[in-house]
Amino acid sequence: MEQHTLKITGVLSDPTRYSIYQYIGKQKRDVTVQEIADTFKIHANVARLHLSKLEEVNMLVSDTKKTGKGGRPSRFYRLSDEVISIQFPFRDYQRLAEIAIDSLASLGYEGIEALRKTGLKFGYEAAHEFVSSFNQNPEAMAPAEKTKFIEQIAINQGLNPELHYDEQKEEITFRIYNCTFKEVAKDNRGVCAMHHSLMNGIFQYFFPDLELKEEANMMKQNELACTYTTAIVSS
């Protein structure tokens, strides 16, 4: 484990390579060598080297696809499903989370409700802490400004969000393309309930009467994103 961690830190020590990894993480699609070369204004061979280094430590995966333009298939890169954890010494917080959540979920309805309440509390507190750092008051914000804060909080949590506020209908559509609990959520139904409540906590800090409705779930339906919509948003 330590050897792998050292390899990862070595790969990410290059500023350009780290920026490439961040860039790919923000995309909602696969990227090519040429796209990376054009975006970072480097030669395609240099871009390919950076991508290969990231793939060697399992931070990226790739496959070849035909582009429909003739010629040889192109190689496309995307983030690996493997979560990268850099810690000295190694601490297995994922296993700890699995034990704690599984213990609560085993209690049935009461356990799931406890997870929901905890998620709601932590979501609300995360929003409060973030807004307070800017000395802002949500009561003085317009709905569009509130949604910008919500989007940034979701970005900070690594959720790769997409948020759309319909000013005419006063409705919000909120999608997250990355689940920070996906390794645990695959085998535990309580995790999605907790994470949904965490999202609700964030939104309710800005819109107290709002309730997110789940439209799609990347774990249950093999969707690309978890999608939520809201009831009417009151100013």
Side-chain angles (χ1 to χ4, degrees), residues 1-216:
M1 180 65 194
E2 285 190 15
Q3 288 300 317
H4 185 57
T5 301
L6 288 171
K7 287 181 181 178
I8 292 170
T9 55
V11 167
L12 293 179
S13 64
D14 185 289
T16 301
R17 197 173 298 144
Y18 181 66
S19 296
I20 289 171
Y21 180 71
Q22 286 187 311
Y23 172 81
I24 295 173
K26 293 176 182 177
Q27 308 310 306
K28 301 176 179 66
R29 52 177 175 75
D30 297 355
V31 302
T32 63
V33 170
Q34 193 58 52
E35 178 181 344
I36 296 300
D38 293 342
T39 301
F40 290 89
K41 296 179 172 50
I42 55 180
H43 193 278
N45 288 340
V46 177
R48 186 175 291 105
L49 177 62
H50 284 310
L51 292 166
S52 296
K53 289 287 186 182
L54 289 166
E55 190 172 19
E56 283 175 11
V57 292
N58 300 322
M59 298 183 74
L60 300 180
V61 293
S62 69
D63 50 31
T64 55
K65 302 177 186 177
K66 291 185 178 180
T67 61
K69 299 179 182 178
R72 289 164 43 180
S74 295
R75 183 162 289 278
F76 288 78
Y77 294 82
R78 64 185 179 278
L79 289 189
S80 166
D81 286 335
E82 181 175 320
V83 174
I84 304 301
S85 179
I86 302 175
Q87 300 167 340
F88 295 96
F90 174 66
R91 298 174 177 87
D92 196 350
Y93 289 118
Q94 180 180 325
R95 178 60 63 186
L96 177 62
E98 288 173 351
I99 293 169
I101 292 171
D102 194 58
S103 297
L104 280 168
S106 69
L107 298 176
Y109 175 79
E110 290 80 6
I112 298 297
E113 281 303 298
L115 285 167
R116 286 197 178 100
K117 288 178 181 178
T118 301
L120 193 70
K121 174 187 173 184
F122 274 81
Y124 190 94
E125 289 178 352
H128 173 71
E129 183 178 335
F130 182 74
V131 173
S132 296
S133 70
F134 291 91
N135 295 317
Q136 297 291 317
N137 181 356
E139 293 181 5
M141 298 178 189
E145 189 178 2
K146 293 178 181 181
T147 59
K148 289 293 184 184
F149 269 93
I150 292 170
E151 185 174 36
Q152 188 57 55
I153 293 168
I155 290 171
N156 292 348
Q157 294 188 0
L159 298 176
N160 198 2
E162 183 180 274
L163 192 150
H164 174 68
Y165 170 57
D166 189 321
E167 194 169 354
Q168 295 294 323
K169 296 180 179 178
E170 291 190 302
E171 292 178 347
I172 295 173
T173 301
F174 178 62
R175 293 186 179 88
I176 58 172
Y177 288 84
N178 182 43
C179 175
T180 47
F181 304 113
K182 59 187 176 184
E183 284 71 30
V184 183
K186 288 176 182 177
D187 302 312
N188 195 305
R189 61 193 179 92
V191 176
C192 285
M194 179 189 68
H195 203 203
H196 185 175
S197 291
L198 189 145
M199 295 294 101
N200 261 320
I202 294 172
F203 273 83
Q204 287 178 13
Y205 176 75
F206 296 93
F207 304 103
D209 299 324
L210 181 147
E211 186 75 23
L212 287 177
K213 178 183 177 184
E214 184 180 282
E215 303 288 350

